[in-house]
Amino acid sequence: MSTVNPTTTTYEGLNRAYGFFNERLFGGTLPPCLITMQRKAKAYGYFAGGRFGSKDGAVVTDEIALNPSHFHERTTEQSLSTLVHEMVHLWQHHFGKISRGGYHNAEWAAKMQEIGLVPSDTGQPGGKQTGQRVSHYIAEGGAYRTAFGVLEASGFDALYVELWAEGAGRAKRKAKNASKTRYTCPDCGLNAWAKPAAPLICGACGVLMVAPEGEGEGEDDEAVPGAA
């Protein structure tokens, strides 16, 4: 029987990676955050600012979630690039100017390019660099690729991969539910339903409608390229 603890290996490894990239790519300026594993449909991961905290309210922290369902199909370099993608959202949350509704704006895109990840809605060169659902690709010779090479050479190997997939029926139900997100006008209370991250505007009030907590509010995700 193996004496290796998978939980310890995974979370200590991800915490180590976060600290490593924080020092190498952000000058150690980012605050600690809570790293979680979440299976969010059509996303490699997401960032949610100020989502968690202590019960007494003394501590508030951000969440970076990674979707472990994609670890098997992607290289470790690609999977950790999602961690860094979300770290850029965390950087912007604390030091920049974010857009409402999880929109990937020009400031975020510029920071991504600075650290060696090129924004692209297709995940390939030539894709749109800003928008509601934006992924990225790794720049050849960029800061991220160089930093990852150092981390990999140190023996980093913390990502367990799934050995079996969810049943087709369950996956179909999850996909159906994920396509029905309720949005509410913060001024008049009008409700509407649309796909996740849809930029809905209330026709009566002219303001951006928002999704209740638990239905996508406050999350900046890295979309899986090509996922509708």
Side-chain angles (χ1 to χ4, degrees), residues 24-161:
R24 289 286 183 133
L25 303 178
F26 299 90
T29 60
L30 303 186
C33 76
L34 181 62
I35 301 175
T36 66
M37 298 285 199
Q38 305 286 348
R39 289 182 177 85
K40 182 176 181 181
K42 304 173 185 178
Y44 289 138
Y46 67 77
F47 166 77
R51 170 163 282 183
F52 288 95
S54 58
K55 285 189 176 182
D56 62 6
V59 177
V60 176
T61 190
D62 311 310
E63 177 191 20
I64 286 180
L66 300 179
N67 189 341
S69 296
H70 297 284
F71 288 170
H72 194 283
E73 70 196 48
R74 306 177 79 205
T75 65
T76 299
E77 181 184 40
Q78 290 170 332
S79 292
L80 290 185
S81 76
T82 293
L83 172 66
V84 175
H85 175 124
E86 306 308 339
M87 289 172 71
V88 176
H89 283 301
L90 188 150
W91 167 85
Q92 188 176 41
H93 178 75
H94 289 278
F95 305 110
K97 186 175 181 180
I98 61 175
S99 299
R100 292 187 63 185
Y103 187 87
H104 297 71
N105 63 23
E107 179 188 64
W108 172 86
K111 187 65 173 179
M112 286 281 285
Q113 293 189 70
E114 176 187 318
I115 65 171
L117 299 178
V118 184
S120 170
D121 63 346
T122 65
Q124 300 294 329
K128 188 177 179 182
Q129 295 195 352
T130 60
Q132 203 68 38
R133 297 178 63 83
V134 180
S135 185
H136 66 263
Y137 61 92
I138 300 168
E140 290 291 343
Y144 171 77
R145 174 148 285 173
T146 300
F148 174 78
V150 175
L151 181 65
E152 183 180 43
S154 72
F156 182 89
D157 184 22
L159 302 184
Y160 283 73
V161 301

Side-chain angles (χ1 to χ4, degrees), residues 179-200:
S179 69
K180 296 180 179 179
T181 297
R182 176 170 61 89
Y183 294 82
T184 302
C185 174
D187 289 351
C188 69
L190 176 71
N191 292 325
W193 282 260
K195 292 182 177 181
L200 294 187

